[in-house]
Amino acid sequence: MLGMLPPAATAPITEPWPFAAILQGWTAMKLETVDIRQAASAADIVYEALRKAIIEGELAEGENLRQDQIASLFNTSRIPVREALSRLEQNGLITTQRYKGAVVAGLSIEEIEEIFEFRALIEAEVIRLAVPNMNTKTLDAARRHCEAFGGEANSAKWGEINRNFHYSLYEAARRPYYLQIVRASLDRIDRYLRAQLTLTDGMNRARREHQGILDACIEGNTDKAAELTRDHILGAGRALMTFLEETRARNE
């Protein structure tokens, strides 16, 4: 209460506030500012970390994701964790099971086949739209990613470099919604695709086909680039399904 404050606290202010000096001090301060509107929220940080762990296979199919453990790991409350898990479920990366909670989702052979068929349709169209807009900068970036993919020995990096190659070409289409859908599709099958590339000769085939797609783009041949992209995706899908069928048959 006001009556309980010491006399100095209730004494009238007779000296004017040095506003000029304060403003001068703020002007002189060297601050590294951040646009808060662009800063990642706690939910975004948790979501990206879990998404990366799932698509890279660090979190296995069927693994339980406990909210309290995740919140503790990120030193946050359960609220952003619940938001992140909800987004992961919307994107098909986790499912919620009764009595068990959130678990890493798996895919059936039929679901994988459907995803690859969908990718073949949309990515062929995306690159068809992109080729007329490609410039030297676009092609140079794609060439770097193509070379990096061909020379990378660390299988943990193959998925990311593969995406970088395709995205560097697709971005010229100027279709952000298409790319969002492509990203979501890749998120769901990346962990399986990397296993297939690692345990079969899929890398050699992928390197050759990437170079063919890049050459068609350099030539400005829209139809060829679209056809090669479609064949590349369908071929990878068939190889992956064969690999998974053989693997699951051995484990039964």
Side-chain angles (χ1 to χ4, degrees):
M1 295 177 62
L2 187 61
M4 298 179 65
L5 294 173
T10 58
I13 298 174
T14 57
E15 295 293 331
W17 281 89
F19 290 114
I22 293 173
L23 291 174
Q24 183 178 3
W26 276 106
T27 304
M29 293 180 74
K30 302 297 184 183
L31 296 177
E32 183 177 348
T33 59
V34 175
D35 186 347
I36 295 176
R37 295 170 300 177
Q38 303 298 324
S41 67
D44 290 335
I45 293 170
V46 174
Y47 170 80
E48 285 299 333
L50 291 174
R51 169 186 166 272
K52 186 172 186 292
I54 292 171
I55 66 176
E56 292 184 355
E58 298 297 330
L59 290 173
E61 179 180 325
E63 188 165 344
N64 185 233
L65 303 177
R66 292 183 53 186
Q67 292 186 25
D68 56 343
Q69 290 181 340
I70 297 170
S72 177
L73 282 172
F74 287 89
N75 194 27
T76 187
S77 70
R78 294 191 185 190
I79 295 174
V81 175
R82 283 198 295 269
E83 182 180 335
L85 293 177
S86 176
R87 289 170 59 188
L88 290 167
E89 186 167 21
Q90 290 172 9
N91 291 332
L93 293 178
I94 69 170
T95 59
T96 302
Q97 298 180 2
R98 194 174 184 181
Y99 305 123
K100 195 171 183 181
V103 298
V104 177
L107 289 173
S108 67
I109 298 292
E110 293 74 21
E111 287 172 321
I112 291 173
E113 182 178 20
E114 183 178 356
I115 290 172
F116 273 93
E117 288 173 349
F118 176 77
R119 284 188 57 212
L121 287 171
I122 194 168
E123 292 182 45
E125 181 60 20
V126 170
I127 203 164
R128 187 188 300 278
L129 294 168
V131 170
N133 299 324
M134 290 180 183
N135 53 31
T136 302
K137 182 179 179 181
T138 300
L139 296 172
D140 285 346
R143 186 180 291 106
R144 287 194 300 272
H145 294 311
C146 187
E147 292 172 354
F149 185 80
E152 182 56 62
N154 184 355
S155 62
K157 296 182 180 180
W158 289 348
E160 179 184 359
I161 300 173
N162 178 64
R163 286 185 186 227
N164 290 340
F165 169 71
H166 287 286
Y167 285 0
S168 64
L169 296 172
Y170 296 164
E171 285 175 349
R174 302 167 190 167
R175 297 294 194 280
Y177 182 70
Y178 283 18
L179 293 184
Q180 181 182 344
I181 295 174
V182 170
R183 181 178 190 253
S185 298
L186 284 169
D187 280 355
R188 298 198 67 188
I189 51 90
D190 250 14
R191 55 199 142 137
Y192 303 102
L193 188 57
R194 186 168 61 172
Q196 180 257 328
L197 290 174
T198 304
L199 300 174
T200 70
D201 66 345
M203 273 299 289
N204 291 329
R205 176 176 178 175
R207 291 184 183 110
R208 293 193 303 270
E209 292 178 354
H210 282 179
Q211 187 62 54
I213 293 169
L214 177 59
D215 290 342
C217 292
I218 292 172
E219 296 166 5
N221 192 328
T222 301
D223 291 339
K224 185 178 179 181
E227 180 183 0
L228 290 176
T229 298
R230 179 180 179 277
D231 291 346
H232 170 63
I233 294 168
L234 291 177
R238 285 191 295 269
L240 175 57
M241 286 182 289
T242 299
F243 169 76
L244 290 176
E245 287 170 350
E246 292 175 349
T247 301
R248 293 178 181 180
R250 286 195 298 269
N251 294 333
E252 289 178 354

